[in-house]
Amino acid sequence: MYQTPSLGRSDDSAVDSGSVPGTPSDMSMFAQAYSIPADSMDMGALPERVGTPQPSRYHMALPDILHPETASSVPVRTICCIGAGYVGGPTAAVIALHNPHIRVVVVDRDQKRIDAWKSRHLPIHEPGLEDVVRIARDGAAVTRRRSDSPTGDTMDPARQPNLFFSTACIETIKVADMCLISVNTPTKTRGVGAGRATDMAALEGACRDIAMHAKAGCVLVEKSTVPCKTGQLIKDIMEAHRPGVVFPVLSNPEFLSEGTAIRDLMQPDRVVIGCESTISGHRAAAALANLYAAWVPRSRIAPIGIWSSELCKLAANAMLAQRISSINSISAICERTDADVGEIAKSIGLDPRIGPQFLKAGLGFGGSCFRKDIASLTYLAESLGLPEVAAYWQQVLTMNDFQRDRFARHVIATLNNSLRGKKVAILGYAFKKNTGDARESPALDVIRILLEEGPKSITIYDPLCSEADIKRELSVLERDYAVSMPDGPVEVVSDPYTACANSNAVLILTDWDMFKNSKPVIRSSKPSTIAETYDGATPTDVLRLKANLDHVTINKPPTPPRTPKLSPLSSELNTRLLPEPPCPADCIVCRSSSTAGISAETDTTTPIDWAHISKTVREPRWVFDGRGVLDARAMVGMGFRLETLGRASMY
């Protein structure tokens, strides 16, 4: 039977044991797979280095990764997280929150990014992230806990800060027991494999720094999404700079979804740890497992081979993207057959073999992961001599591009095949709701096609994406067109009503809750007449519905109070939060918020007033819903003409 190859020689020297955090005691199928009877251990018979293939007897003698004591010789007191981005920052914060006895330092060469992590204006938006960072970075105050016991009230001690952010990369690496490599691994833009292969420059640079400055035995953990066999690349770099020194390499892929990253970290469905099949590899994996076991049941920690771990992240994202492209392909058929893709998704999602997740038709997937990971997978397949496999997964990307292209061209066709002298309003730029990430947004491709028609104005509103981030993403189009004002037609505004005013068409490109509308309330002496007769599916129905508008009133949602902020922290910890660090007098974020007259904490759930927008847009009031968030009857009742992906046109 094939065993995971070894990446390095064993290191069985004893070291003072570190403290092991408490953990749920349940064991899992993974524990059974790695458990070994004590009488089967024959350490004297073990070779210095494991080759490939390995004898099954030796494999069974490897220590149990899920046993807390396996890592007793691998103490972890200081963790260095290299990369303060969307993965490194939140991951380090949650690890620090649950392991207060461990010092966690996030390093990055970008001084502005590090300054933002130290301030009250974090560089990324994730629900719950601010509270986690505040507890781990700033500590918690002493608090009195009331008690009816004879001994009286008890005092909870102050929690000391154990999460730090720094640009002192080398100094931090020197003292680290474990290095989490969370650097950017984008797609190459030039050279061999451009457009598909992974650019490993940042990862190679981080590994060289570790090789030259880390202490012997420092555990290296791949957090970045990397091609299969990257572990061997890391080992080669370490061996080239520090020959003979043992550096265990682990793969610990992240399965975070932007917008729910903190929830995914606090309550993961699985924690995958890939390691080499050596004693030192298993001990290093056990040390990482102990960190997670502080809050994750060991039954959810899955130790697997390092190559499988590296590939499983690409495979998982490819499978999810495949579902999105599959339902989007069905949406194109629906628009030609008068079927409703929403109804189809609901019906097939009831099949337990399929399930309802990732069956929402729309503009396709975006962000920094899916497209990049599938491109990497296709390149990997081709490099392994598997062109059929590469072509299969390439079609997922082809369908994704087709979906947004046909949406944009339908907008143009509906507006008489010309955008000259016309204004287009775009609501939402982020690739999904609850994130301010503007990278790889479907909106970019839609805007690119719209610019070909020379519109008078394209006005963009997004509640969380900053103007600077949007303009940076749009800058890739400037080689073909002047994009941003004053030379180009694109303007980013901070108010949805300003964006929509005097527009010839409104495009919904992000599924923000604030863009949703409510269904109309039918009030009539015969309440079933309109509700049952007019479903808005044909132009005739629309005309008949408009003729009966005196019987229809739109239930405009009252402006609710600001949605309460949900915190991932316990109520006890929330009461112990220390005041946030003050901003300097010249804080750019505070100054821009004050100038714009908006709150630093943006509300993204209070619905916008579509009735008001209907009075400011130009006839015939076109709205193109690329995310399926609008109710057709309500929009028609307010005088809009609505086109929705996955539904036949009503006009």
PDB file of all heavy atoms in Angstrom, residues 269-296:
ATOM      1  N   ASP A 269     -16.206  22.846  10.390  1.00  0.00           N
ATOM      2  CA  ASP A 269     -16.725  21.491  10.204  1.00  0.00           C
ATOM      3  C   ASP A 269     -15.598  20.475  10.127  1.00  0.00           C
ATOM      4  O   ASP A 269     -15.810  19.285  10.353  1.00  0.00           O
ATOM      5  CB  ASP A 269     -17.615  21.395   8.965  1.00  0.00           C
ATOM      6  CG  ASP A 269     -16.995  22.067   7.758  1.00  0.00           C
ATOM      7  OD1 ASP A 269     -15.773  22.291   7.765  1.00  0.00           O
ATOM      8  OD2 ASP A 269     -17.737  22.364   6.803  1.00  0.00           O
ATOM      9  N   ARG A 270     -14.376  20.934   9.798  1.00  0.00           N
ATOM     10  CA  ARG A 270     -13.214  20.062   9.859  1.00  0.00           C
ATOM     11  C   ARG A 270     -11.956  20.910   9.868  1.00  0.00           C
ATOM     12  O   ARG A 270     -11.939  22.036   9.356  1.00  0.00           O
ATOM     13  CB  ARG A 270     -13.158  19.066   8.699  1.00  0.00           C
ATOM     14  CG  ARG A 270     -12.586  19.580   7.371  1.00  0.00           C
ATOM     15  CD  ARG A 270     -13.597  20.372   6.613  1.00  0.00           C
ATOM     16  NE  ARG A 270     -13.292  20.460   5.194  1.00  0.00           N
ATOM     17  CZ  ARG A 270     -13.858  21.364   4.380  1.00  0.00           C
ATOM     18  NH1 ARG A 270     -14.710  22.251   4.857  1.00  0.00           N
ATOM     19  NH2 ARG A 270     -13.569  21.370   3.101  1.00  0.00           N
ATOM     20  N   VAL A 271     -10.917  20.379  10.485  1.00  0.00           N
ATOM     21  CA  VAL A 271      -9.588  20.987  10.470  1.00  0.00           C
ATOM     22  C   VAL A 271      -8.646  19.944   9.883  1.00  0.00           C
ATOM     23  O   VAL A 271      -8.402  18.909  10.495  1.00  0.00           O
ATOM     24  CB  VAL A 271      -9.113  21.399  11.879  1.00  0.00           C
ATOM     25  CG1 VAL A 271      -7.668  21.894  11.826  1.00  0.00           C
ATOM     26  CG2 VAL A 271     -10.025  22.473  12.455  1.00  0.00           C
ATOM     27  N   VAL A 272      -8.169  20.195   8.683  1.00  0.00           N
ATOM     28  CA  VAL A 272      -7.306  19.251   7.982  1.00  0.00           C
ATOM     29  C   VAL A 272      -5.845  19.575   8.296  1.00  0.00           C
ATOM     30  O   VAL A 272      -5.413  20.718   8.150  1.00  0.00           O
ATOM     31  CB  VAL A 272      -7.548  19.296   6.464  1.00  0.00           C
ATOM     32  CG1 VAL A 272      -6.535  18.418   5.723  1.00  0.00           C
ATOM     33  CG2 VAL A 272      -8.968  18.846   6.146  1.00  0.00           C
ATOM     34  N   ILE A 273      -5.108  18.575   8.731  1.00  0.00           N
ATOM     35  CA  ILE A 273      -3.679  18.720   9.004  1.00  0.00           C
ATOM     36  C   ILE A 273      -2.942  17.652   8.221  1.00  0.00           C
ATOM     37  O   ILE A 273      -3.097  16.457   8.481  1.00  0.00           O
ATOM     38  CB  ILE A 273      -3.364  18.585  10.509  1.00  0.00           C
ATOM     39  CG1 ILE A 273      -4.110  19.660  11.314  1.00  0.00           C
ATOM     40  CG2 ILE A 273      -1.868  18.685  10.754  1.00  0.00           C
ATOM     41  CD1 ILE A 273      -3.916  19.547  12.817  1.00  0.00           C
ATOM     42  N   GLY A 274      -2.152  18.086   7.246  1.00  0.00           N
ATOM     43  CA  GLY A 274      -1.366  17.162   6.449  1.00  0.00           C
ATOM     44  C   GLY A 274       0.069  17.136   6.941  1.00  0.00           C
ATOM     45  O   GLY A 274       0.664  18.186   7.194  1.00  0.00           O
ATOM     46  N   CYS A 275       0.609  15.948   7.097  1.00  0.00           N
ATOM     47  CA  CYS A 275       1.973  15.837   7.602  1.00  0.00           C
ATOM     48  C   CYS A 275       2.718  14.737   6.863  1.00  0.00           C
ATOM     49  O   CYS A 275       2.123  13.913   6.166  1.00  0.00           O
ATOM     50  CB  CYS A 275       1.982  15.560   9.103  1.00  0.00           C
ATOM     51  SG  CYS A 275       1.354  13.930   9.551  1.00  0.00           S
ATOM     52  N   GLU A 276       4.032  14.753   7.031  1.00  0.00           N
ATOM     53  CA  GLU A 276       4.874  13.711   6.460  1.00  0.00           C
ATOM     54  C   GLU A 276       4.839  12.480   7.362  1.00  0.00           C
ATOM     55  O   GLU A 276       4.623  12.572   8.573  1.00  0.00           O
ATOM     56  CB  GLU A 276       6.291  14.232   6.301  1.00  0.00           C
ATOM     57  CG  GLU A 276       6.809  14.967   7.532  1.00  0.00           C
ATOM     58  CD  GLU A 276       8.087  15.737   7.264  1.00  0.00           C
ATOM     59  OE1 GLU A 276       8.987  15.161   6.642  1.00  0.00           O
ATOM     60  OE2 GLU A 276       8.174  16.906   7.679  1.00  0.00           O
ATOM     61  N   SER A 277       5.071  11.330   6.778  1.00  0.00           N
ATOM     62  CA  SER A 277       4.989  10.068   7.521  1.00  0.00           C
ATOM     63  C   SER A 277       6.303   9.769   8.225  1.00  0.00           C
ATOM     64  O   SER A 277       6.996   8.798   7.918  1.00  0.00           O
ATOM     65  CB  SER A 277       4.613   8.930   6.573  1.00  0.00           C
ATOM     66  OG  SER A 277       3.302   9.093   6.104  1.00  0.00           O
ATOM     67  N   THR A 278       6.650  10.641   9.167  1.00  0.00           N
ATOM     68  CA  THR A 278       7.827  10.448  10.009  1.00  0.00           C
ATOM     69  C   THR A 278       7.413  10.714  11.443  1.00  0.00           C
ATOM     70  O   THR A 278       6.352  11.302  11.700  1.00  0.00           O
ATOM     71  CB  THR A 278       8.964  11.413   9.623  1.00  0.00           C
ATOM     72  OG1 THR A 278       8.517  12.760   9.835  1.00  0.00           O
ATOM     73  CG2 THR A 278       9.377  11.235   8.169  1.00  0.00           C
ATOM     74  N   ILE A 279       8.245  10.291  12.367  1.00  0.00           N
ATOM     75  CA  ILE A 279       7.941  10.542  13.772  1.00  0.00           C
ATOM     76  C   ILE A 279       7.911  12.036  14.041  1.00  0.00           C
ATOM     77  O   ILE A 279       7.003  12.554  14.703  1.00  0.00           O
ATOM     78  CB  ILE A 279       8.968   9.828  14.670  1.00  0.00           C
ATOM     79  CG1 ILE A 279       8.816   8.308  14.533  1.00  0.00           C
ATOM     80  CG2 ILE A 279       8.800  10.242  16.129  1.00  0.00           C
ATOM     81  CD1 ILE A 279       9.829   7.513  15.309  1.00  0.00           C
ATOM     82  N   SER A 280       8.902  12.770  13.521  1.00  0.00           N
ATOM     83  CA  SER A 280       8.919  14.218  13.746  1.00  0.00           C
ATOM     84  C   SER A 280       7.732  14.890  13.077  1.00  0.00           C
ATOM     85  O   SER A 280       7.179  15.867  13.596  1.00  0.00           O
ATOM     86  CB  SER A 280      10.227  14.818  13.223  1.00  0.00           C
ATOM     87  OG  SER A 280      10.363  14.594  11.834  1.00  0.00           O
ATOM     88  N   GLY A 281       7.305  14.372  11.908  1.00  0.00           N
ATOM     89  CA  GLY A 281       6.141  14.936  11.238  1.00  0.00           C
ATOM     90  C   GLY A 281       4.876  14.747  12.043  1.00  0.00           C
ATOM     91  O   GLY A 281       4.059  15.666  12.171  1.00  0.00           O
ATOM     92  N   HIS A 282       4.696  13.566  12.613  1.00  0.00           N
ATOM     93  CA  HIS A 282       3.507  13.302  13.430  1.00  0.00           C
ATOM     94  C   HIS A 282       3.533  14.128  14.725  1.00  0.00           C
ATOM     95  O   HIS A 282       2.489  14.594  15.180  1.00  0.00           O
ATOM     96  CB  HIS A 282       3.408  11.813  13.741  1.00  0.00           C
ATOM     97  CG  HIS A 282       2.732  11.029  12.655  1.00  0.00           C
ATOM     98  ND1 HIS A 282       1.707  10.159  12.887  1.00  0.00           N
ATOM     99  CD2 HIS A 282       2.940  11.015  11.316  1.00  0.00           C
ATOM    100  CE1 HIS A 282       1.306   9.620  11.746  1.00  0.00           C
ATOM    101  NE2 HIS A 282       2.050  10.121  10.772  1.00  0.00           N
ATOM    102  N   ARG A 283       4.704  14.298  15.297  1.00  0.00           N
ATOM    103  CA  ARG A 283       4.783  15.105  16.517  1.00  0.00           C
ATOM    104  C   ARG A 283       4.463  16.570  16.227  1.00  0.00           C
ATOM    105  O   ARG A 283       3.789  17.236  17.012  1.00  0.00           O
ATOM    106  CB  ARG A 283       6.169  14.966  17.132  1.00  0.00           C
ATOM    107  CG  ARG A 283       6.405  13.614  17.810  1.00  0.00           C
ATOM    108  CD  ARG A 283       7.830  13.471  18.307  1.00  0.00           C
ATOM    109  NE  ARG A 283       8.000  12.227  19.070  1.00  0.00           N
ATOM    110  CZ  ARG A 283       9.166  11.755  19.465  1.00  0.00           C
ATOM    111  NH1 ARG A 283      10.294  12.411  19.179  1.00  0.00           N
ATOM    112  NH2 ARG A 283       9.224  10.631  20.150  1.00  0.00           N
ATOM    113  N   ALA A 284       4.953  17.074  15.099  1.00  0.00           N
ATOM    114  CA  ALA A 284       4.632  18.459  14.725  1.00  0.00           C
ATOM    115  C   ALA A 284       3.141  18.612  14.467  1.00  0.00           C
ATOM    116  O   ALA A 284       2.520  19.610  14.872  1.00  0.00           O
ATOM    117  CB  ALA A 284       5.443  18.858  13.493  1.00  0.00           C
ATOM    118  N   ALA A 285       2.540  17.637  13.773  1.00  0.00           N
ATOM    119  CA  ALA A 285       1.099  17.681  13.514  1.00  0.00           C
ATOM    120  C   ALA A 285       0.313  17.639  14.819  1.00  0.00           C
ATOM    121  O   ALA A 285      -0.720  18.314  14.967  1.00  0.00           O
ATOM    122  CB  ALA A 285       0.691  16.524  12.611  1.00  0.00           C
ATOM    123  N   ALA A 286       0.786  16.866  15.782  1.00  0.00           N
ATOM    124  CA  ALA A 286       0.116  16.804  17.085  1.00  0.00           C
ATOM    125  C   ALA A 286       0.189  18.138  17.807  1.00  0.00           C
ATOM    126  O   ALA A 286      -0.760  18.538  18.491  1.00  0.00           O
ATOM    127  CB  ALA A 286       0.747  15.708  17.937  1.00  0.00           C
ATOM    128  N   ALA A 287       1.310  18.860  17.640  1.00  0.00           N
ATOM    129  CA  ALA A 287       1.433  20.185  18.264  1.00  0.00           C
ATOM    130  C   ALA A 287       0.415  21.154  17.675  1.00  0.00           C
ATOM    131  O   ALA A 287      -0.221  21.933  18.399  1.00  0.00           O
ATOM    132  CB  ALA A 287       2.852  20.717  18.074  1.00  0.00           C
ATOM    133  N   LEU A 288       0.240  21.105  16.354  1.00  0.00           N
ATOM    134  CA  LEU A 288      -0.760  21.964  15.722  1.00  0.00           C
ATOM    135  C   LEU A 288      -2.167  21.534  16.115  1.00  0.00           C
ATOM    136  O   LEU A 288      -3.038  22.370  16.363  1.00  0.00           O
ATOM    137  CB  LEU A 288      -0.586  21.921  14.203  1.00  0.00           C
ATOM    138  CG  LEU A 288      -1.522  22.806  13.379  1.00  0.00           C
ATOM    139  CD1 LEU A 288      -1.351  24.279  13.757  1.00  0.00           C
ATOM    140  CD2 LEU A 288      -1.276  22.621  11.879  1.00  0.00           C
ATOM    141  N   ALA A 289      -2.384  20.223  16.203  1.00  0.00           N
ATOM    142  CA  ALA A 289      -3.701  19.728  16.621  1.00  0.00           C
ATOM    143  C   ALA A 289      -4.039  20.199  18.029  1.00  0.00           C
ATOM    144  O   ALA A 289      -5.194  20.531  18.326  1.00  0.00           O
ATOM    145  CB  ALA A 289      -3.729  18.203  16.545  1.00  0.00           C
ATOM    146  N   ASN A 290      -3.047  20.260  18.912  1.00  0.00           N
ATOM    147  CA  ASN A 290      -3.295  20.733  20.277  1.00  0.00           C
ATOM    148  C   ASN A 290      -3.729  22.191  20.301  1.00  0.00           C
ATOM    149  O   ASN A 290      -4.539  22.600  21.146  1.00  0.00           O
ATOM    150  CB  ASN A 290      -2.042  20.552  21.137  1.00  0.00           C
ATOM    151  CG  ASN A 290      -1.836  19.104  21.563  1.00  0.00           C
ATOM    152  OD1 ASN A 290      -2.755  18.289  21.486  1.00  0.00           O
ATOM    153  ND2 ASN A 290      -0.631  18.789  22.004  1.00  0.00           N
ATOM    154  N   LEU A 291      -3.200  23.002  19.388  1.00  0.00           N
ATOM    155  CA  LEU A 291      -3.624  24.410  19.310  1.00  0.00           C
ATOM    156  C   LEU A 291      -5.110  24.488  18.980  1.00  0.00           C
ATOM    157  O   LEU A 291      -5.871  25.225  19.609  1.00  0.00           O
ATOM    158  CB  LEU A 291      -2.816  25.159  18.253  1.00  0.00           C
ATOM    159  CG  LEU A 291      -1.329  25.375  18.508  1.00  0.00           C
ATOM    160  CD1 LEU A 291      -0.708  26.123  17.338  1.00  0.00           C
ATOM    161  CD2 LEU A 291      -1.107  26.154  19.796  1.00  0.00           C
ATOM    162  N   TYR A 292      -5.524  23.734  17.958  1.00  0.00           N
ATOM    163  CA  TYR A 292      -6.935  23.755  17.560  1.00  0.00           C
ATOM    164  C   TYR A 292      -7.827  23.108  18.612  1.00  0.00           C
ATOM    165  O   TYR A 292      -8.985  23.513  18.795  1.00  0.00           O
ATOM    166  CB  TYR A 292      -7.111  23.035  16.223  1.00  0.00           C
ATOM    167  CG  TYR A 292      -6.690  23.851  15.023  1.00  0.00           C
ATOM    168  CD1 TYR A 292      -5.536  23.533  14.310  1.00  0.00           C
ATOM    169  CD2 TYR A 292      -7.437  24.941  14.594  1.00  0.00           C
ATOM    170  CE1 TYR A 292      -5.146  24.270  13.201  1.00  0.00           C
ATOM    171  CE2 TYR A 292      -7.056  25.693  13.498  1.00  0.00           C
ATOM    172  CZ  TYR A 292      -5.907  25.351  12.801  1.00  0.00           C
ATOM    173  OH  TYR A 292      -5.530  26.095  11.710  1.00  0.00           O
ATOM    174  N   ALA A 293      -7.296  22.091  19.305  1.00  0.00           N
ATOM    175  CA  ALA A 293      -8.108  21.367  20.281  1.00  0.00           C
ATOM    176  C   ALA A 293      -8.515  22.228  21.467  1.00  0.00           C
ATOM    177  O   ALA A 293      -9.357  21.818  22.267  1.00  0.00           O
ATOM    178  CB  ALA A 293      -7.353  20.132  20.780  1.00  0.00           C
ATOM    179  N   ALA A 294      -7.946  23.419  21.590  1.00  0.00           N
ATOM    180  CA  ALA A 294      -8.367  24.337  22.647  1.00  0.00           C
ATOM    181  C   ALA A 294      -9.829  24.746  22.471  1.00  0.00           C
ATOM    182  O   ALA A 294     -10.476  25.151  23.440  1.00  0.00           O
ATOM    183  CB  ALA A 294      -7.467  25.572  22.652  1.00  0.00           C
ATOM    184  N   TRP A 295     -10.362  24.645  21.244  1.00  0.00           N
ATOM    185  CA  TRP A 295     -11.773  24.986  21.040  1.00  0.00           C
ATOM    186  C   TRP A 295     -12.475  24.085  20.021  1.00  0.00           C
ATOM    187  O   TRP A 295     -13.705  24.118  19.902  1.00  0.00           O
ATOM    188  CB  TRP A 295     -11.924  26.450  20.626  1.00  0.00           C
ATOM    189  CG  TRP A 295     -11.628  26.769  19.178  1.00  0.00           C
ATOM    190  CD1 TRP A 295     -12.537  26.885  18.162  1.00  0.00           C
ATOM    191  CD2 TRP A 295     -10.341  27.034  18.583  1.00  0.00           C
ATOM    192  NE1 TRP A 295     -11.903  27.193  16.983  1.00  0.00           N
ATOM    193  CE2 TRP A 295     -10.549  27.310  17.222  1.00  0.00           C
ATOM    194  CE3 TRP A 295      -9.045  27.083  19.072  1.00  0.00           C
ATOM    195  CZ2 TRP A 295      -9.505  27.613  16.343  1.00  0.00           C
ATOM    196  CZ3 TRP A 295      -8.004  27.394  18.206  1.00  0.00           C
ATOM    197  CH2 TRP A 295      -8.223  27.660  16.867  1.00  0.00           C
ATOM    198  N   VAL A 296     -11.740  23.263  19.291  1.00  0.00           N
ATOM    199  CA  VAL A 296     -12.341  22.380  18.290  1.00  0.00           C
ATOM    200  C   VAL A 296     -12.318  20.946  18.812  1.00  0.00           C
ATOM    201  O   VAL A 296     -11.265  20.470  19.243  1.00  0.00           O
ATOM    202  CB  VAL A 296     -11.567  22.459  16.956  1.00  0.00           C
ATOM    203  CG1 VAL A 296     -12.190  21.519  15.925  1.00  0.00           C
ATOM    204  CG2 VAL A 296     -11.542  23.891  16.425  1.00  0.00           C
TER     205      VAL A 296
END
